[in-house]
Amino acid sequence: MSETYDAIVLGAGAAGLFCAATAGQRGKRVLLLDHADQVGKKILISGGGRCNFTNIHTAPDRYLSGNAHFAKSALSRYTPADFLDMVEAYGIAWHEKTLGQLFCDGSAKQIVAMLLEECAKGGVTVHCGDTLGEIDHADGHYRVAFGARAATAPALVIATGGPSIPKMGATGLAYDLARKFGLKVVQPRPALVPLTLPGAEALFRDLSGVSTEVVARCGKASFREAALFTHRGLSGPAILQISSYWQRGQTVTTQFLPDRAEGWLKDAKRERPRASLRKVLGEGLPERLVDVLCERLGLSGELGAMSDKALAAAEAKLARWPFVPDGSEGYAKAEVTAGGIDTGALSSKTMEARKVPGLFVVGEAADVTGWLGGYNFQWAWASARAAGLAI
Ligand SMILES: Cc1cc2nc3c(=O)[nH]c(=O)nc-3n(C[C@H](O)[C@H](O)[C@H](O)COP(=O)(O)OP(=O)(O)OC[C@H]3O[C@@H](n4cnc5c(N)ncnc54)[C@H](O)[C@@H]3O)c2cc1C
């Protein structure tokens, strides 16, 4: 015998919890299933344990997707201010850290507790810790087996996220289900992920732990934030951001000393001909990085002894220092997965598959990927809300 519900939500992460709560509070009978032993595991580790739960600068152009317009509808109908209202109603203290990123003052546990409370208010049945079995669709009903039990409902919500960080319980189930139900999947790839550098860049890999502000660029994308050298390559917010736009074989450039005006090295030569290149670079960059940059530039000694041409060439290189990563640290370290279930098959208003009535896709499972800084959770809330109101 199957238990019957109005909707079964697969995945009790950010999107699944909020979708189940929204539908439940509209009087729908909702079953929320997760194979992990607890709900919201990624929320708990997010933002260094303080959960960067939204970003006040949320806008559709801060998301990557095969369809740049897809996220507009859901994002405009459930905004950062809407989520913040709920956070405040629960008395959760928060602060803006930087660049519009809102974090809990206390702990990400407060966000999970809030979402569970919202589910409880909607009478949602939450079931964790059992592997999902067969998932079928017949006679307008979805049937999901879990553990020794089974449930049926006319609506099924795929909220199982992407495969980033498998050790947190992430899987590619969303894509398997999409294919099963005839939906296309845009090639998934690790995003917001550290990039690795080849052996030829060993000098930079030796800088592990050194960080500096840069403008990182790849194609048309650019981000001004910190870059961090690691023993495998490049990380830090600027690099994580640019990694989402990077494709194998492409060059990532970093602009060191981004505030220096054009011609600054020649000006420095005129003003301080006895100063060394090492000294003037060291006024804005960490010493160990300066050593590597000078070695790579092949320049040493006093500025006065260097030709204007050599200084202009050095300045140009510092403004677009090229790195050709040989890969990324992969799903094990990727904060999100880019790509996913093709939005072309989904209604942007309801997140329902146009050709598969009752099948909804929310959160990271869909081909919508936000920038670093609270944008991914905002997409999870907004898409979950859209589906939760439509079920
Ligand atoms: C370390 C880290 C830090 C992050 N920090 C932030 C941040 O501060 N701000 C931000 O906006 N974003 C952050 N993110 C990204 C954010 O966590 C995700 O974009 C967001 O959680 C996606 O929500 P979701 O509900 O779609 O998927 P998830 O939250 O990943 O939830 C998916 C759920 O489905 C379950 N599941 C998966 N496969 C199966 C299966 N086969 N059977 C049953 N259940 C399954 C999982 O156990 C999980 O509970 C971070 C990610 C990581 C990894």
Side-chain angles (χ1 to χ4, degrees):
M1 268 292 284
S2 293
E3 304 159 30
T4 57
Y5 294 88
D6 295 320
I8 302 170
V9 179
L10 305 179
L17 283 161
F18 196 48
C19 180
T22 303
Q25 290 181 23
R26 289 176 50 242
K28 304 288 174 184
R29 289 167 305 126
V30 182
L31 173 64
L32 176 59
L33 293 174
D34 203 296
H35 67 167
D37 52 2
Q38 65 181 133
V39 304
K41 277 190 164 181
K42 275 193 190 167
I43 302 175
L44 292 172
I45 58 161
S46 68
R50 290 215 160 87
C51 187
N52 176 194
F53 54 81
T54 192
N55 192 299
I56 56 172
H57 302 308
T58 294
D61 65 358
R62 288 162 185 225
Y63 293 84
L64 291 83
S65 171
N67 174 358
H69 302 292
F70 181 78
K72 283 183 182 168
S73 173
L75 289 174
S76 69
R77 284 178 297 130
Y78 192 78
T79 65
D82 291 326
F83 192 77
L84 196 54
D85 282 348
M86 181 167 65
V87 167
E88 292 201 321
Y90 276 79
I92 299 173
W94 58 275
H95 62 279
E96 179 182 343
K97 198 170 170 190
T98 173
L99 302 171
Q101 302 168 2
L102 306 193
F103 284 75
C104 299
D105 288 357
S107 158
K109 285 182 194 158
Q110 295 171 286
I111 298 291
V112 173
M114 173 185 80
L115 293 168
L116 276 175
E117 180 61 32
E118 286 291 299
C119 282
K121 278 187 197 163
V124 174
T125 304
V126 182
H127 182 90
C128 284
D130 269 322
T131 304
L132 300 185
E134 225 24 67
I135 298 172
D136 296 308
H137 185 216
D139 303 327
H141 278 75
Y142 295 89
R143 183 177 184 280
V144 179
F146 56 104
R149 294 158 63 184
T152 61
L156 181 70
V157 182
I158 301 177
T160 49
S164 298
I165 323 272
K167 71 171 190 231
M168 300 298 301
T171 70
L173 177 67
Y175 313 144
D176 299 339
L177 288 174
R179 291 187 192 102
K180 179 180 174 113
F181 290 111
L183 309 182
K184 281 195 208 141
V185 174
V186 175
Q187 183 62 43
R189 58 179 203 283
L192 299 181
V193 64
L195 298 173
T196 55
L197 290 175
E201 298 285 25
L203 273 180
F204 284 103
R205 295 197 317 203
D206 286 348
L207 293 176
S208 180
V210 170
S211 109
T212 188
E213 188 169 340
V214 300
V215 179
R217 295 188 172 87
C218 184
K220 288 185 181 150
S222 72
F223 293 94
R224 181 174 175 154
E225 278 189 74
L228 168 73
F229 292 93
T230 72
H231 67 286
R232 298 191 61 191
L234 298 166
S235 187
I239 300 301
L240 297 181
Q241 296 277 36
I242 214 71
S243 74
S244 300
Y245 293 83
W246 176 78
Q247 312 253 0
R248 196 169 282 273
Q250 283 185 310
T251 301
V252 170
T253 65
T254 59
Q255 179 176 2
F256 294 112
L257 300 167
D259 286 325
R260 299 289 199 274
E262 213 182 315
W264 73 275
L265 269 181
K266 279 196 277 175
D267 292 346
K269 170 180 160 180
R270 240 146 251 135
E271 285 155 24
R272 293 184 288 160
R274 307 293 305 274
S276 66
L277 180 64
R278 192 169 255 104
K279 170 147 183 24
V280 294
L281 292 181
E283 285 162 4
L285 292 171
E287 211 176 300
R288 284 168 62 203
L289 174 59
V290 170
D291 288 342
V292 172
L293 293 176
C294 286
E295 184 166 340
R296 281 305 176 90
L297 289 167
L299 290 174
S300 60
E302 294 178 357
L303 292 177
M306 296 173 193
S307 69
D308 281 2
K309 199 174 159 202
L311 287 176
E315 199 184 297
K317 183 128 193 227
L318 290 166
R320 298 263 167 168
W321 197 280
F323 291 103
V324 185
D326 61 357
S328 79
E329 294 202 27
Y331 288 121
K333 291 279 170 67
E335 209 160 281
V336 289
T337 304
I341 299 177
D342 194 341
T343 56
L346 308 175
S347 154
S348 61
K349 246 189 140 178
T350 63
M351 309 303 295
E352 187 174 12
R354 286 204 199 88
K355 293 192 178 151
V356 194
L359 183 68
F360 295 78
V361 180
V362 296
E364 202 178 311
D367 173 30
V368 176
T369 308
W371 285 3
L372 187 76
Y375 295 99
N376 283 296
F377 279 138
Q378 187 58 36
W379 169 246
W381 317 134
S383 57
R385 180 79 174 175
L389 291 176
I391 286 165

